[in-house]
């Protein structure tokens, strides 16, 4: 039975839908969530951030014919995360996704892989910061029979996958620039299959419209001050590359891609709360072989600092 991985990706993230059938989703979900770091490289010591996101993504099927494997029309990725400042230079974090897949014949869902990360702020001077990031994706995702066709739904890779990357940020008065790049090496997963290594990168420019720039200074969220309402606008670009999958040692040439997205967003903040909203539209869709195109993405998050 043919399986095609649908990697629900960001940024930044976002974040993990990349093929024409609905049998698989998300080996690497959460790896590129665009809001995952929120322009903050590391947290102050003993500070905690809780975050939740809903990411809705459409798939442009066009006139592609359906057979025994039904075509995905859209998917929703709900992510739940926590970050903790071990010190002013080192932050640990975890992110767990839950995926809903939709077709014209029914839907399926399941928990994705858990991502654990550590971020170390290597250099900080004159409002410029550079950090290293490393971690592992744990095989908490599920594999089960589909309720809408005769395929198998795979949410996650079923393997322990190491990852590493870099983060940077530069702040001015009302402007801030942030970027990242990460690579995830995917090892053999369910039944020894290879679901594709993943590389993601992003760059974002934000502008403080009103209040404090909570995207770039965690102190403005966590310190006890008078009520403060902030509005931050941002634009950016994010890209993701996915390798071809391999099943039973046979490469599927109708899998893998490079996708480039234009991102437009706004973040509303009040005291220790922040609400990031992002809309993304594909600029580049370079698919390997015969695959369906990507549609728009809409992402809504809620962040609480302690």
């Amino acid at each position: 039975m043919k399986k095609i991985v649908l990697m629900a990706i960001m940024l930044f993230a976002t974040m993990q839908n990349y093929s024409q059938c609905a049998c698989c989703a998300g080996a690497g979900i959460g790896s590129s969530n665009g809001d995952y770091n929120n322009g903050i490289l590391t947290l102050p010591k003993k500070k905690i951030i809780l975050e939740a996101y809903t990411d809705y993504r459409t798939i442009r099927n066009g006139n592609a014919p359906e057979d025994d494997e039904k075509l995905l029309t859209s998917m929703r990725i709900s992510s739940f995360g926590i970050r903790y400042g071990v010190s002013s230079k080192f932050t640990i974090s975890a992110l767990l996704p839950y995926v809903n897949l939709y077709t014209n014949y029914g839907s399926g869902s399941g928990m994705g892989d858990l991502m654990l990360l550590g971020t170390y702020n290597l250099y900080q001077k004159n409002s410029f910061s550079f950090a290293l990031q490393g971690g592992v994706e744990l095989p908490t995702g599920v594999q089960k029979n589909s309720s809408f066709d005769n395929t198998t739904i795979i949410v996650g890779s079923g393997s322990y996958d190491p990852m590493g990357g870099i983060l940077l940020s530069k702040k001015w008065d009302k402007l801030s620039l942030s970027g990242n790049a990460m690579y995830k090496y995917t090892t053999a997963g369910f039944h020894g299959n290879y679901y594709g290594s993943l590389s993601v990168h992003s760059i974002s420019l934000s502008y403080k419209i009103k209040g404090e720039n909570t995207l770039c200074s965690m102190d403005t969220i966590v310190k006890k001050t008078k009520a403060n309402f902030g509005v931050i606008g941002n634009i950016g670009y994010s890209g993701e590359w996915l390798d071809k999958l391999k099943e039973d040692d046979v490469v599927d040439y109708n899998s893998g891609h490079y996708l480039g997205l234009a991102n437009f967003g706004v973040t509303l903040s009040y005291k220790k709360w922040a609400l990031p909203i992002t809309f993304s539209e594909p600029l580049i869709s370079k698919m390997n072989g015969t695959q369906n195109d990507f549609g728009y993405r809409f992402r809504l998050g809620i962040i609480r600092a302690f």
Side-chain angles (χ1 to χ4, degrees):
M1 182 187 303
K2 182 180 179 181
K3 297 183 179 71
I4 300 180
V5 173
L6 298 170
M7 302 288 298
I9 308 292
M10 35 112 236
L11 261 121
F12 215 141
T14 162
M15 78 160 133
Q16 314 151 350
N17 59 330
Y18 302 134
S19 219
Q20 68 180 47
C21 77
C23 54
C24 307
I29 292 173
S31 295
S32 60
N33 286 322
D35 305 312
Y36 190 69
N37 286 283
N38 298 286
I40 307 156
L41 304 192
T42 55
L43 302 181
K45 186 177 180 179
K46 295 184 178 180
K47 297 305 179 182
I48 299 174
I49 295 293
L50 297 180
E51 49 197 346
Y53 303 98
T54 294
D55 192 334
Y56 179 77
R57 305 180 178 192
T58 60
I59 300 173
R60 296 167 178 165
N61 288 321
N63 297 318
E66 290 185 314
D67 50 24
D68 290 338
E69 296 178 358
K70 305 307 179 185
L71 302 182
L72 276 180
T73 57
S74 62
M75 66 191 306
R76 186 177 75 246
I77 307 162
S78 302
S79 303
F80 307 92
I82 183 172
R83 285 181 277 161
Y84 176 73
V86 179
S87 69
S88 61
K89 288 184 173 293
F90 184 62
T91 295
I92 57 175
S93 58
L95 189 72
L96 182 66
Y98 189 86
V99 181
N100 296 88
L101 308 175
Y102 301 100
T103 75
N104 291 326
Y105 301 88
S107 61
S109 61
M111 183 178 296
D113 289 341
L114 173 66
M115 185 174 70
L116 303 178
L117 286 173
T119 305
Y120 180 75
N121 198 337
L122 188 66
Y123 178 84
Q124 185 169 356
K125 186 177 181 180
N126 297 329
S127 298
F128 174 80
S129 297
F130 177 82
L132 299 178
Q133 196 169 58
V136 62
E137 197 168 71
L138 305 181
T140 56
V142 301
Q143 178 183 25
K144 61 182 182 180
N145 292 331
S146 167
S147 62
F148 47 79
D149 60 19
N150 65 351
T151 61
T152 301
I153 294 176
I154 299 175
V155 184
S157 65
S159 59
Y160 292 88
D161 302 330
M163 63 185 73
I166 59 173
L167 300 167
L168 59 88
S169 69
K170 172 65 177 177
K171 295 181 290 183
W172 295 273
D173 182 20
K174 292 189 175 184
L175 285 173
S176 69
L177 180 70
S178 61
N180 68 13
M182 177 175 284
Y183 178 78
K184 179 176 74 74
Y185 178 74
T186 300
T187 58
F190 292 114
H191 307 296
N193 294 326
Y194 169 70
Y195 292 106
S197 294
L198 173 72
S199 178
V200 298
H201 53 270
S202 71
I203 187 167
S204 177
L205 182 66
S206 65
Y207 179 77
K208 179 172 62 177
I209 300 173
K210 177 180 175 60
E212 297 295 335
N213 192 338
T214 56
L215 279 177
C216 295
S217 177
M218 183 51 59
D219 288 341
T220 61
I221 299 179
V222 301
K223 69 181 181 181
K224 296 181 179 180
T225 61
K226 295 181 180 179
N228 182 66
F229 177 73
V231 180
I232 308 296
N234 63 84
I235 59 173
Y237 174 85
S238 58
E240 53 198 47
W241 170 84
L242 175 67
D243 197 10
K244 299 181 185 70
L245 72 85
K246 183 185 295 185
E247 182 181 13
D248 299 326
D249 291 326
V250 177
V251 176
D252 186 348
Y253 291 98
N254 292 321
S255 64
H257 65 272
Y258 178 82
L259 176 66
L261 296 163
N263 306 312
F264 309 91
V266 63
T267 296
L268 310 177
S269 62
Y270 179 73
K271 289 188 174 180
K272 298 181 180 181
W273 295 87
L275 187 73
I277 304 169
T278 306
F279 177 82
S280 301
E281 180 69 21
L283 293 177
I284 304 171
S285 293
K286 186 176 181 181
M287 317 297 290
N288 295 327
T290 303
Q291 299 184 58
N292 286 315
D293 213 348
F294 301 93
Y296 71 85
R297 300 179 179 184
F298 177 77
R299 182 175 172 84
L300 174 66
I302 184 168
I303 301 169
R304 176 65 161 89
F306 297 88

